[in-house]
Amino acid sequence: MKKILCVLLSLIVLMSLFSLNAFAKDNSVIETLVKNGYTYDTASALTDKEAKAIYDAINCGKEVQVDTCIFEIDNLEVIRNFLSMSDEELNSYGFSNEEIKTAKDEIKSLATKSDKELIEDCGLNDVEVKLLKMIYCEYLNGELNSRPKEVNNVSASGTISSSKMTYTQTATSNSSTLPNYTVNISYAWITPYQLAIFVDNIVVAWGGGLNSKDYNAVARYYNFTDIAWGTYREGIGMGRDVTPNTGIIFKLPQCANTGKTKSGSVSFTLYQTKKEGKETTLISNYCHKVIAVTGGISISASGPSITIGTGWDKTPQRQSVIGY
């Protein structure tokens, strides 16, 4: 259902130089963050205040841990899973008939494009075009000018058309005497994802009984087409569920006011009023929900650990060492 790529930071940096982001910052700030493990996109997804604070910490010689990965989802498998459920099943998971219709209209808009448009504009190969149209015909009884023949034992030369995101977690030590860390997490979708009807989560957990405070979390929404991001629309604060001394689940709708979330950032402080001379781990995942199924998300300070149900595609887990 998903393919996850976690590549060497040098490759991430090289790839990221070709991406654009509307939130342009001082070039020296972005360049410094990229040299220290960010991608251009995840650095640009930070607020100006967040980016400058990390930049200053690096230049001051503070301990700054940066952990970045690339996350990829299989759009055609997401479409197949969604369409395999009846309207009644989707209703039972809380989706309105209007939301279901909107999602199916989006799929129809994509599947009824010509083969040439899907190949040249959307980046699909011949096999992927056939698979998309087969799914459309099978589940929506779609009428196409050229109904594709069944594809058996497919071996595509490339991968099924996918959407990619870059994701970065950073922990900055603010004190040499007491446990005090600024945690920054940022994400940026390089290409739009299909079917924006669920709520995504950024999940963070830690051990050691540390306290948390000073939460700031914003998801940014953009116009979009089937293949590209459009203009910026608005930033919306994320919801959050805080489990004291354990972790936080930040919540962000995939779609808001007809825009999809392209990027966003989270920041908060981890602290303790005494130092015990021990270490724990701070971990996090971005969880992109792709289908309504049972099983949710839970966090535990033991380990620490994050448990994620089968309804989400998730980034590889990022981690930072926290002294306390």
Side-chain angles (χ1 to χ4, degrees):
M1 181 176 179
K2 60 181 180 291
K3 294 168 288 182
I4 297 175
L5 301 177
C6 216
V7 298
L8 295 174
L9 286 177
S10 58
L11 178 59
I12 294 173
V13 171
L14 181 63
M15 292 175 63
S16 68
L17 295 177
F18 296 95
S19 301
L20 298 176
N21 190 291
F23 288 86
K25 297 177 174 60
D26 184 280
N27 284 339
S28 62
V29 172
I30 295 296
E31 289 172 3
T32 297
L33 267 59
V34 169
K35 287 178 181 178
N36 284 271
Y38 274 80
T39 70
Y40 182 92
D41 297 283
T42 54
S44 299
L46 297 165
T47 66
D48 289 342
K49 181 179 179 180
E50 291 166 345
K52 185 62 164 56
I54 297 169
Y55 170 82
D56 289 342
I58 291 171
N59 287 336
C60 290
K62 290 184 177 181
E63 179 191 3
V64 181
Q65 303 174 60
V66 180
D67 195 1
T68 295
C69 69
I70 290 179
F71 165 60
E72 185 174 358
I73 62 170
D74 182 339
N75 281 321
L76 294 189
E77 188 66 17
V78 170
I79 291 172
R80 183 190 292 275
N81 287 332
F82 174 78
L83 293 180
S84 67
M85 302 181 72
S86 68
D87 288 2
E88 290 73 20
E89 287 177 295
L90 292 169
N91 288 149
S92 71
Y93 285 109
F95 296 105
S96 68
N97 290 331
E98 181 180 356
E99 290 171 327
I100 295 169
K101 182 180 184 301
T102 298
K104 289 183 177 180
D105 286 346
E106 184 179 342
I107 295 169
K108 180 179 180 180
S109 173
L110 183 65
T112 53
K113 291 180 181 294
S114 69
D115 290 7
K116 183 179 179 181
E117 287 176 310
L118 289 169
I119 292 170
E120 294 182 358
D121 298 338
C122 300
L124 276 67
N125 60 35
D126 290 336
V127 170
E128 293 165 351
V129 169
K130 291 178 181 178
L131 288 173
L132 171 63
K133 295 194 172 187
M134 280 176 55
I135 293 168
Y136 175 70
C137 289
E138 178 181 356
Y139 291 106
L140 291 184
N141 297 316
E143 293 298 328
L144 301 173
N145 292 331
S146 177
R147 188 180 180 92
K149 295 181 180 179
E150 186 175 358
V151 180
N152 291 315
N153 301 319
V154 172
S155 178
S157 58
T159 60
I160 295 300
S161 184
S162 61
S163 296
K164 293 184 177 70
M165 168 206 280
T166 52
Y167 178 83
T168 300
Q169 171 184 301
T170 301
T172 302
S173 177
N174 299 315
S175 173
S176 59
T177 57
L178 291 174
N180 188 295
Y181 290 81
T182 298
V183 177
N184 293 99
I185 295 171
S186 57
Y187 69 90
W189 287 96
I190 299 170
T191 47
Y193 43 90
Q194 298 295 324
L195 299 184
I197 59 174
F198 296 106
V199 174
D200 285 352
N201 295 274
I202 294 174
V203 189
V204 192
W206 60 86
L210 278 79
N211 301 299
S212 60
K213 63 178 182 178
D214 302 333
Y215 313 104
N216 184 61
V218 178
R220 299 185 184 91
Y221 293 83
Y222 286 72
N223 293 315
F224 59 93
T225 66
D226 290 327
I227 60 170
W229 290 108
T231 54
Y232 172 72
R233 292 181 61 88
E234 61 183 331
I236 299 177
M238 300 181 197
R240 65 176 182 266
D241 290 337
V242 179
T243 302
N245 314 111
T246 300
I248 312 166
I249 300 177
F250 295 94
K251 302 178 179 181
L252 56 147
Q254 295 171 356
C255 183
N257 300 323
T258 72
K260 290 181 180 179
T261 180
K262 174 188 176 185
S263 63
S265 63
V266 163
S267 66
F268 61 94
T269 300
L270 279 184
Y271 71 99
Q272 194 163 275
T273 56
K274 62 179 180 178
K275 189 168 185 176
E276 301 179 28
K278 300 178 182 178
E279 288 185 347
T280 187
T281 305
L282 169 78
I283 58 175
S284 74
N285 291 92
Y286 187 103
C287 303
H288 179 69
K289 193 161 189 179
V290 294
I291 190 169
V293 296
T294 56
I297 296 173
S298 62
I299 54 179
S300 172
S302 177
S305 65
I306 296 172
T307 302
I308 301 167
T310 57
W312 285 265
D313 276 343
K314 59 184 183 294
T315 60
Q317 197 166 87
R318 303 296 85 199
Q319 64 178 26
S320 309
V321 176
I322 302 297
Y324 69 99

